[in-house]
Amino acid sequence: MHVGPEEADQPPSMSSHDAAPPAAPSRNPCCLCWCCCCSCSWNEERRRAWRVSRENKLQPLPSCEACATPSPEEVRSWAQSFDKLMHSPAGRSVFREFLRTEYSEENMLFWLACEELKAEANQHVVDEKARLIYEDYVSILSPKEVSLDSRVREGINKKMQEPSAHTFDDAQLQIYTLMHRDSYPRFLSSPTYRALLLRGSSQSSNEA
């Protein structure tokens, strides 16, 4: 769904069929829905956090030169398996830049957000991060919505009643598989990756 520039600058309004699942009454007794008319302080804090999250995600990526330069061996290892690419901070950075050129950077952003969520132990923070992830990447009103099947979406909606650090595990695996099968092969044959391989070959020749 296309979203114009003016609409993209506003937090998505919640329709009846796409509203996020109700918050647990025990945690937020005054917010039994995510309607925009809710004026309680919790809802206002959530909306402010959404704006900060969106502004942070729109910051430009650092250039490859600003990141730790991977060794020629590390660059070559990325072609051995997608797992090795994703376990490399430099590899994720380069792959994310490639995804941006294909207009699918949201897949990596979602995967990284899920990793951050799984490392969180504070339940209050888990609740907030889970809802931000839902708004940013699962809601059909979001310009950064990732592609998930109906089964996974239904599972997320149920789990959002009581968010946990593993609420998005199934969705994260689905997006990981999508990047592996769809984007990763094109990345390996892209000018970006080929340039890194050539640079590594030149360095090895010079050292020899």
Side-chain angles (χ1 to χ4, degrees):
M1 181 178 72
H2 175 73
V3 179
E6 295 182 359
E7 293 175 336
D9 289 334
Q10 301 296 328
S13 60
M14 296 297 174
S15 63
S16 59
H17 67 275
D18 188 55
S26 61
R27 292 178 185 160
N28 298 291
C30 64
C31 285
L32 299 182
C33 69
W34 275 31
C35 60
C36 293
C37 62
C38 182
S39 59
C40 70
S41 60
W42 181 87
N43 191 58
E44 290 302 315
E45 290 175 1
R46 178 183 65 79
R47 290 171 66 82
R48 282 197 297 270
W50 183 92
R51 287 192 290 270
V52 171
S53 172
R54 181 179 181 279
E55 290 170 0
N56 288 341
K57 289 182 175 63
L58 290 179
Q59 294 299 316
L61 279 174
S63 64
C64 287
E65 288 74 18
C67 303
T69 303
S71 67
E73 293 76 16
E74 183 178 3
V75 172
R76 287 193 293 269
S77 74
W78 299 343
Q80 296 174 10
S81 73
F82 187 57
D83 287 344
K84 289 188 176 181
L85 172 68
M86 292 294 283
H87 277 89
S88 164
R92 291 194 301 269
S93 178
V94 174
F95 186 52
R96 179 180 163 186
E97 288 194 32
F98 170 76
L99 292 177
R100 174 173 282 193
T101 67
E102 293 203 329
Y103 304 99
S104 58
E105 182 188 12
E106 66 275 3
N107 289 333
M108 177 63 81
L109 291 175
F110 173 70
W111 188 88
L112 291 171
C114 292
E115 287 293 290
E116 183 179 330
L117 178 66
K118 289 191 292 187
E120 184 57 60
N122 184 300
Q123 186 58 51
H124 177 73
V125 178
V126 166
D127 289 350
E128 187 62 22
K129 285 186 176 181
R131 299 183 193 284
L132 287 173
I133 290 173
Y134 187 97
E135 287 186 340
D136 279 350
Y137 304 110
V138 180
S139 170
I140 62 173
L141 298 178
S142 173
K144 300 193 296 289
E145 178 197 4
V146 296
S147 179
L148 300 171
D149 63 36
S150 59
R151 178 189 62 82
V152 171
R153 285 182 178 277
E154 289 173 3
I156 290 175
N157 287 335
K158 292 178 181 178
K159 293 175 182 177
M160 284 297 291
Q161 300 289 339
E162 290 286 341
S164 75
H166 298 281
T167 293
F168 301 97
D169 281 3
D170 290 343
Q172 185 186 24
L173 177 59
Q174 190 167 100
I175 294 303
Y176 185 91
T177 302
L178 176 65
M179 291 191 293
H180 184 190
R181 294 178 178 176
D182 186 54
S183 302
Y184 177 59
R186 290 197 298 274
F187 168 74
L188 295 181
S189 60
S190 69
T192 299
Y193 183 61
R194 290 182 180 276
L196 287 173
L197 287 176
L198 289 174
R199 185 186 306 173
S201 299
S202 299
Q203 290 177 356
S204 298
S205 299
N206 292 335
E207 291 174 359

